Amino acid sequence: MKVSAAGNSPNTDGIHVEKSIGVTLMNSKIGTGDDCVSIGPGTSNLWIENVSCGPGHGISIGSLGWDLQEPGVQNVTVKTVTFSGTENGVRVKTWARPSNGFVKYLLFQHAVMVNVENHIIIDQNYCPDDQKCPDQVSGVKISDITNQDIHGSSSTEIAMKLDCSKQYPCSDITLEDVKLTYNNEPAQSSCINADGKSSGLVQPNSCLCN
């Protein structure tokens, strides 16, 4: 498929998947003013492959955790994807408020990112435009996320931002063969309440707690 909207058009998610099992999205080109693909609560066994994203806000899981009782997201594979000039690459975003939601068993693999602001991002204090922010603590539990063979150039100095819940820190995050640059130099990373491991070449240097 080809999905197209102006890069400055608000709330134009290209494809939204929610409360769905076994969806496959392949061989598509998506350019929007919001998420190229947004993944909502109750999604499992989702497969995304050979997708080009840009412009847009990347491929995002969430936003999650607005409701206290909310089904989780699990078993999501995103592989062989290209991001060009996007605000984000692969992202998980949750509201900072109580919730019994969860995100687990994600694989982001074989991604090329060109002039992307935030390549790998977990934002558990999500609040667009900083308006009416809940300013609590996210109850969404995030675990078992693998980022493998991700390369590209960043338009910002910090290419990887993992801002996790202080009540439920992110766990079992894996970085493997990641190389992200800023002005032809290794980019930087920022981690808060994020545990995991790294292997192979990882640039920027991993900030995960073991």
Side-chain angles (χ1 to χ4, degrees), residues 112-198:
V112 175
M113 305 189 184
V114 180
N115 198 34
V116 171
E117 289 185 30
N118 306 298
H119 293 70
I120 300 171
I121 180 168
I122 296 175
D123 182 4
Q124 293 210 260
N125 291 288
Y126 175 71
C127 185
D129 303 321
D130 292 324
Q131 295 181 357
K132 298 181 180 178
C133 301
D135 293 327
Q136 300 180 65
V137 177
S138 178
V140 177
K141 300 179 181 68
I142 297 177
S143 64
D144 296 285
I145 299 179
T146 298
N147 299 278
Q148 184 181 64
D149 185 26
I150 297 179
H151 299 80
S153 60
S154 176
S155 59
T156 58
E157 191 171 1
I158 299 177
M160 181 172 65
K161 300 179 182 178
L162 308 180
D163 182 9
C164 299
S165 169
K166 63 182 179 181
Q167 183 177 7
Y168 301 108
C170 300
S171 62
D172 295 316
I173 308 298
T174 299
L175 302 172
E176 182 178 346
D177 296 325
V178 175
K179 185 177 182 181
L180 306 174
T181 62
Y182 172 69
N183 286 342
N184 297 317
E185 297 288 338
Q188 295 186 19
S189 62
S190 172
C191 295
I192 300 174
N193 305 317
D195 299 332
K197 62 183 180 180
S198 61

Side-chain angles (χ1 to χ4, degrees), residues 58-111:
I59 295 177
S60 296
I61 294 176
S63 58
L64 304 176
W66 183 259
D67 295 325
L68 178 61
Q69 301 295 328
E70 184 178 271
V73 174
Q74 60 186 330
N75 298 325
V76 175
T77 297
V78 178
K79 64 182 297 184
T80 318
V81 289
T82 302
F83 299 88
S84 300
T86 55
E87 185 175 296
N88 308 291
V90 289
R91 173 171 64 157
V92 180
K93 52 183 178 177
T94 75
W95 293 92
R97 54 187 292 161
S99 175
N100 66 349
F102 62 86
V103 177
K104 61 183 179 181
Y105 308 134
L106 310 184
L107 173 62
F108 299 120
Q109 185 182 59
H110 309 321

Side-chain angles (χ1 to χ4, degrees), residues 8-100:
N8 61 353
S9 55
N11 298 319
T12 50
D13 287 341
I15 296 173
H16 181 70
V17 182
E18 183 171 337
K19 297 176 183 174
S20 302
I21 300 173
V23 173
T24 298
L25 171 61
M26 298 181 66
N27 309 324
S28 298
K29 181 177 177 60
I30 305 171
T32 71
D34 209 316
D35 295 325
C36 290
V37 181
S38 63
I39 301 162
T43 300
S44 63
N45 302 334
L46 171 64
W47 189 280
I48 299 173
E49 184 175 2
N50 194 25
V51 169
S52 173
C53 171
H57 294 181
I59 295 177
S60 296
I61 294 176
S63 58
L64 304 176
W66 183 259
D67 295 325
L68 178 61
Q69 301 295 328
E70 184 178 271
V73 174
Q74 60 186 330
N75 298 325
V76 175
T77 297
V78 178
K79 64 182 297 184
T80 318
V81 289
T82 302
F83 299 88
S84 300
T86 55
E87 185 175 296
N88 308 291
V90 289
R91 173 171 64 157
V92 180
K93 52 183 178 177
T94 75
W95 293 92
R97 54 187 292 161
S99 175
N100 66 349

